[in-house]
Amino acid sequence: MSDNNTFSPGLQDKIKKELTRYETKRTAILPVLHAIQDECGWVEEKHIEALNSTYGLDRVQVKEVLTFYKAYYQKKPRKHPIQVCDNIVCCMMGANEVIERIEGHIKHLEEKHGDNAAFEVIGVPCLGVCDQAPAIIVNKDRHHKVTVDNVDQILEKYSSLK
Amino acid sequence: MGNTTDKVKILTEFEGMPNSRALATYQSKGGYSALKKAFAMPSSQIIEEVKQSGLRGRGGAGFPTGLKWSFVPQNIAGPRYLICNNDEGEPGTFKDRYIAELSPHMLVEGMIIAAKAIGATKGYIYTRYEFFDEIRWLETAIKEAYAAGFLGKNILGSGFDFDLDHYTGAGAYICGEETGLISSLEGKKGQPKLKPPFPAVSGYLGKPTVVNNTETFAAVPWIINNGATAYKAIGTEKSPGTKLFSIAGAIKKPGVYELPLGYSFEKLLNEDCGGMLPGRTMKACIPGGASAPILTPEELKGLTLDYEAIAAKGSMLGSGAIMIIDDRMSMVQLMKVIADFYHHESCGQCTPCREGTGWLANIMGGIYDHEGHESDVEKMWTVAKQMGGRTICALSDAAAMPTMAITKKFGDEIREYIKRGTSA
Ligand SMILES: Cc1cc2nc3c(=O)[nH]c(=O)nc-3n(C[C@H](O)[C@H](O)[C@H](O)COP(=O)(O)O)c2cc1C
Ligand code: SF4
Ligand code: FES
């Protein structure tokens, strides 16, 4: 019952805690996947294997959750995934122009760095902050009232756009 | 009885207060006194008080809250569960977020009272993944409530035990539907389940479960403290109490407003929200979240914000999410966003929903990309018409309703776009 390679000791503790926190072990699948992604950036095949071999979580059940929920990355994301809301209010308040601008930057970065470009855009539904539209999330930071004029400044905080 | 549509601060009592989220702040204005009062009441009396208050579910469906609580069978052995639906995924809705931001303890206290009423010993607050800060605030409130003896074993010496935990979703709108939420909480795909059995009888892990919206729970402490009669005196006779409205779009002061039900829409827009942004005019309004049928300026004239008045116009109050559509927004764009959203979020279990949302997104995509035919508008209406009422959950209807309204009321604009390549 020891797993010394796949998960860090801190993450192992977290996983163990989640597994006994709820009425059933299965309920812990979502929180466990959140914990893994928070530390590792995404959820890999080897994580699913370890969850099965070390902690007895059913592979099929874990996979099912992983593929159903959009918050989990099944592929290694770029360093700073940008979730952009393009739902009704954000759309009215200029989200499409913002997205266009971000995509322009990414194209430029890809020309220089290929797949190592720091950003990628992921479209997401309404983020529940329409009074602050348009809204985007970078890593786990929510940014409000994003415009074509301030978006560069926001992104530069994470990585150079040059 | 004289009803008032003057503003009352129930859910937003702590607006503008420093450290409004802290337990000490909440208690400085009588926080957790309703809990003490409720513990001195028989459970049936708590339910009766909430029934009498006329409180209706604030998550969208408007089901009477006290009645829902009374459906929990008291003769089934084993645990009962209480769940707060804090998924807030309906596009345009951002009012539950405000409760977490302002007074998470109001929610916690409301849940403990509800738990006492139905005899639940375990509860969960299920929050959408993207509410990072809000989740922290809710978790802090739960911790504080435990430390103060409001949660856990033998709460305030009453002999009543109630544990409350937080659970974070993972980016799926369908988990806002109560049985989808329960599936999710069981560690499964968030797929809705066929009703009956209703959650009140067989919910989380097959046990009796009550699911209520965040705002619904947050109204409970005030009702217990001030009584059903006082609550009924606010709002209209059929829609009592206050409601949080989240209003957004090209207006001067978007945000969350607590209003007595029956408040004037025009007053909200023009006075409270300061009207439209300079240079913009209102073209239409979606009054209750993305699934609510769109209303034209003509239909909005004299509209009051209560369940009955909005229903009388053929739309719904829903979650209280008001989206002001201005003249710069094309109905083609709006319809496309809505169609894509529901197609993306359909869980795929039911054929009318899976196929219907797929068709709508497909036809709309064609129109948007200038490959549409004039008959497409009619076709969309027909597809939507066939999506209602035959599915496991209401998402299919939620996609159909706005489609039928937009294609009917703004069909000319869409046809114009198809014909001329632009709607302007
Ligand atoms: C597709 C769909 C999405 C929903 N999303 C939410 C939501 O995000 N929050 C919510 O409280 N209710 C939502 N509901 C309504 C819930 O199913 C349920 O009616 C509600 O949580 C009950 O609580 P209430 O009676 O206090 O409103 C949704 C319903 C459907 C069909
Ligand atoms: S109506 Fe749609 S979202 Fe609801 S259960 Fe059926 S397929 Fe899933
Ligand atoms: S539409 Fe973008 S946050 Fe609601």
Side-chain angles (χ1 to χ4, degrees), chain B residues 331-346:
Chain B
M331 287 297 160
V332 172
Q333 178 85 54
L334 178 68
M335 191 57 243
K336 181 170 176 349
V337 171
I338 292 175
D340 284 345
F341 170 73
Y342 286 109
H343 175 47
H344 189 254
E345 300 298 329
S346 165

Side-chain angles (χ1 to χ4, degrees), chain B residues 103-184:
Chain B
S103 10
H105 280 289
M106 206 180 275
L107 165 62
V108 173
E109 185 180 14
M111 286 191 76
I112 304 168
I113 296 169
K116 172 71 170 54
I118 64 157
T121 49
K122 179 70 187 279
Y124 286 101
I125 300 174
Y126 184 108
T127 306
R128 63 176 299 170
Y129 173 74
E130 297 83 357
F131 280 178
F132 308 116
D133 290 339
E134 291 77 5
I135 290 170
R136 260 194 311 112
W137 298 332
L138 289 165
E139 285 177 338
T140 303
I142 292 173
K143 260 191 216 135
E144 284 179 325
Y146 266 107
F150 297 132
L151 286 171
K153 293 255 172 288
N154 189 20
I155 299 170
L156 303 175
S158 63
F160 177 66
D161 305 338
F162 180 61
D163 281 303
L164 182 60
D165 203 348
H166 185 274
Y167 198 83
T168 305
Y173 166 68
I174 195 58
C175 294
E177 196 281 335
E178 59 182 7
T179 59
L181 188 155
I182 289 169
S183 300
S184 180

Side-chain angles (χ1 to χ4, degrees), chain B residues 201-224:
Chain B
V201 176
S202 174
Y204 178 54
L205 305 175
K207 302 295 177 198
T209 303
V210 162
V211 183
N212 275 124
N213 171 256
T214 309
E215 186 187 347
T216 312
F217 283 125
V220 171
W222 194 96
I223 292 170
I224 295 301

Side-chain angles (χ1 to χ4, degrees), chain B residues 278-294:
Chain B
R280 308 253 190 142
T281 52
M282 182 172 65
K283 179 173 176 181
C285 167
I286 301 175
S291 54
I294 198 162

